[in-house]
Amino acid sequence: MTNPISDILNETELMFLIGTNPTEAHPVIGYKMRKAARKGVKLVVCDPRHIDLVDEADYWLRLKPGTDIPLLNGLMHIIIKEGLEDKKFIEERTENYEELKAIVESYTPERVSELTGISVDDLYSVARLYAKTDKAMIFYTLGITEHICGTRNVMSCANLAMLTGHLGRPGCGVCPQRGQNNVQGACDMGALPNVFSGYQGVGVDAAREKHEKAWGVPLSGKVGLKIPEMFKAAHEGQVKAMYILGENPVLTDPDANHIRKALEHLEFLVVQELFLTETAEYADVILPAASFAECDGTFTNTERRVQRVRQAIDPIPGQANWQTICQMVTKMGYPMSYNDPSEIWDEMASLSPSMAGINYQRIDEMNSIQWPCPTTDHPGTPVLHVGKFTRGLGLFQPSEHIPPAEMPDAEYPFLLSTGRILQHYNVTTPYSPGISSIWDKEMSEVNPQDAEKLGVKTGDKLKVTSRRGEAITNVKVTDRVLPGVIWMSFHYNGTPTNALTSDGLDPITGTGEYKVAAVKLEKI
Amino acid sequence: MLVELVKLNINGREVEAPAGSTILQAAELAGIEIPRLCYDKELSPLGACRLCVVEVKGNRLLPASCVTPISAGMVVDTESPAVAEARKTILELLIANHPLDCMTCDKLGDCKLADYCYKYGVKDSAFAGEKHDYAIDDSNPFIIRDLNKCILCGACVRACEELTGADNLSYLNRGFHRKATTAGDVDYIDSDNCVFCGQCVAVCPTGALTEKTLAGKARRWDIDRVRTTCPFCGTGCNFDLAVKEGKIIGVLSNPDAPVNQRMLCVKGRFGWDYIYNEKRLTSPLIKKNGKFETASWDEAYDLIATKFKEIKDKYGSESFAALSSARCTNEENFLVGKFTRAVMGTNNVDHCART
């Protein structure tokens, strides 16, 4: 997030939500949004599904799945036509505006209405409202990114914010809510194939040399494999061994059968996990992991806020995860020894300029610190891009409409979209006795019109089949979803939704198109 | 924007507070705590319990300080004999219809009603009369509701409406039969609007709403609170793990949490019990002939070191790949990156940011 969560209640005048269901996926952020809307902050919800916040919204743009770019281009088209763009911001802080203008030119309200299903009137109203509101925030999550055009969707959100000067100020910004407790931190720490911690490129000589000196070994400058590439390489025999920490790709990654086959092909697999997961079943060695309550450390939240994780009980497997990793690596002949996780943080911070000013003592004193924080007297940075973008000028990167990789057809007539529900998290909650005593099975959402045609009512079972796999699910009949759509979560191993999901990937990030796949439904 | 400061006198001290403050807020700024039950700084003021009454010179009534604005030159006494007498009477009225089973009540130690009765020496009530006999609602795995202990402060109703916006709790009936309850007056488990965020439990000043996992497990003063960050979603809520004798027994909100204050969701407040799921792995396992067998750490490390080295030597560094975890700590993720790069010699490290 470019801006802090506290801006929702303290600063902003308009929340523009696209492809995000905060009251379920980020509940406390969602509750704050609802509170803000009720005290008069304007709310626009762009979502094919009737999510809870629709009931608080000034405008609900119920777009057809996979038409985010046409919608955003259409809003920008109106803003430019009506002269509502922020000319000073565009002139001083951005580049490539002419290309944006040229591309959105053809996205007339009429054409966009046809593509998205949103009325022309609503397009005008929302374009004017967003452009004319001084402080407006855009929020998105995986409804934007989990498409083959995910990167282009994100850029289109950024284009809209730059066009109207809604960046670099309190109450504004482009705010992706990160899905997992430490997905921000895992990226910040360099658990990515192209960067060291602090987003320092592995191909950048100075960054690599710095790490070579600190770690005392030569390092590769070749960008590594992304997850989908790893599994493809495993499938094809180039990757022979894997170490997997706290991930269950068989349940959570798209096209699960492909993942299973890839894991089968490995010569050696080590999994460090809390439970014997579907993925751990494929392991040659399993190392028992400690939960968050058994480890000291830090998590970094969606607004770049570094906070402490504190050990509350003795680790159930006998030792914390960092100790296990250190012992395993030391056994391989590379001594790795720390007295305490704070020493690991300090090593990382000494190598990462954007986090160099953060240490455990300061976190304890200040409760939390938001990076960038380059020095130990720096207060942290709640708002990004004030006065200047990280790259200098903000680059407009416009895009044409890119339809989903797989759309319903005669054989697979329903559109499957997936997501998270309030009561569950990707991996651990099914093991919570309390949670699973109430929410124990998939309840896929089907529109009443379709339910009638299929002859099912709430509680009945459906077989869902895609070109890649099948799953049995219970049905919840609800007009939360459009006719022709089935919406499923991916939490239950009894209904492995990701056996169905598309193998379409965003070509830049390798993110799967979890939001759109074609399926057929049969009553059983 | 400059806020006008108003000067007034509280308990003989000249104090200042921003115009528009209530007497209770002005006192708090000056470090003077006025007893209160229904007032909660995260919720709208209600003025229902009257425990925060104070004496204001020139006012023959005792106004509720949580809803009375300050004015210049006001002279306030927060603990005058008349105030103390009034509070004592209010407490006697409250406990007239409150079970005095504090010795077994899970909230004792964190119960404001008991704390104030202690402060004002209220042991029992002169107002004997009818008492409620509501059935206890323990229909769900998370919250125990004992409406017999409800003092109608309305904190739960306001939290449900103002913090979560679920609008599930409201008042029903009048007079003696008035109750703060769910829509349709059903058990929590049958309540369609309830999202089990537990905000109602976090703000309840008495034992009316309590965490089920804490029931019978510990007196409040025996609980160690370890502040930490929630392991679900990227919001970054903080809370305290409630620990008794080395075991986690619950989650308690912490008003100092930077992102969420006392707000949590069903996962953060009640989903922690996966930690003690009997299916937790407790020792290394090595697969032999297709079956996992328990192994020592050293056996596991030896096998891993041998195999990883063998594969690296035979096929090269690029034949190895590591999946790190968006659920693990920064420190663990940094180590996985370092291991992959410095030891295995490849940048094949990723995590589920993209999947």
Side-chain angles (χ1 to χ4, degrees), chain A residues 217-401:
Chain A
V217 289
L219 298 172
S220 166
K222 187 185 162 206
V223 170
L225 301 174
K226 303 181 191 101
I227 292 179
E229 295 165 344
M230 288 177 187
F231 288 117
K232 187 163 179 278
H235 207 264
E236 291 168 359
Q238 288 109 23
V239 162
K240 302 283 188 189
M242 283 187 80
Y243 163 82
I244 299 179
L245 169 67
E247 294 264 353
N248 187 9
V250 171
L251 193 64
T252 60
D253 283 24
D255 196 2
N257 292 330
H258 171 74
I259 308 283
R260 285 180 185 275
K261 282 181 198 142
L263 293 173
E264 273 167 20
H265 274 82
L266 290 173
E267 281 187 21
F268 193 65
L269 172 63
V270 177
V271 173
Q272 188 169 344
E273 252 303 353
L274 296 169
F275 299 102
L276 188 59
T277 61
E278 291 81 355
T279 301
E281 294 278 4
Y282 290 87
D284 296 283
V285 180
I286 299 175
L287 299 171
S291 76
F292 81 108
E294 299 150 47
C295 295
D296 277 311
T298 52
F299 290 156
T300 305
N301 82 344
T302 186
E303 44 169 5
R304 297 163 282 104
R305 187 184 296 277
V306 184
Q307 304 187 103
R308 278 297 315 276
V309 177
R310 292 186 180 85
Q311 184 181 333
I313 53 169
D314 291 337
I316 286 177
Q319 57 192 39
N321 299 329
W322 64 273
Q323 292 170 312
T324 301
I325 299 167
C326 287
Q327 288 162 10
M328 176 181 83
V329 174
T330 301
K331 200 79 167 186
M332 295 185 65
Y334 184 90
M336 220 184 229
S337 160
Y338 305 90
N339 291 311
D340 181 86
S342 72
E343 295 182 3
I344 305 171
W345 174 276
D346 290 343
E347 177 180 319
M348 183 283 303
S350 74
L351 291 164
S352 312
S354 59
M355 291 173 277
I358 303 177
N359 56 52
Y360 277 29
Q361 193 188 334
R362 286 196 81 201
I363 299 172
D364 283 345
E365 285 162 13
M366 297 166 67
N367 265 343
S368 63
I369 305 177
Q370 286 171 278
W371 70 260
C373 178
T375 56
T376 49
D377 56 2
H378 190 285
T381 310
V383 181
L384 291 181
H385 312 308
V386 179
K388 188 170 170 278
F389 288 102
T390 313
R391 75 179 288 275
L393 291 175
L395 178 65
F396 283 109
Q397 297 192 77
S399 180
E400 297 284 359
H401 177 35

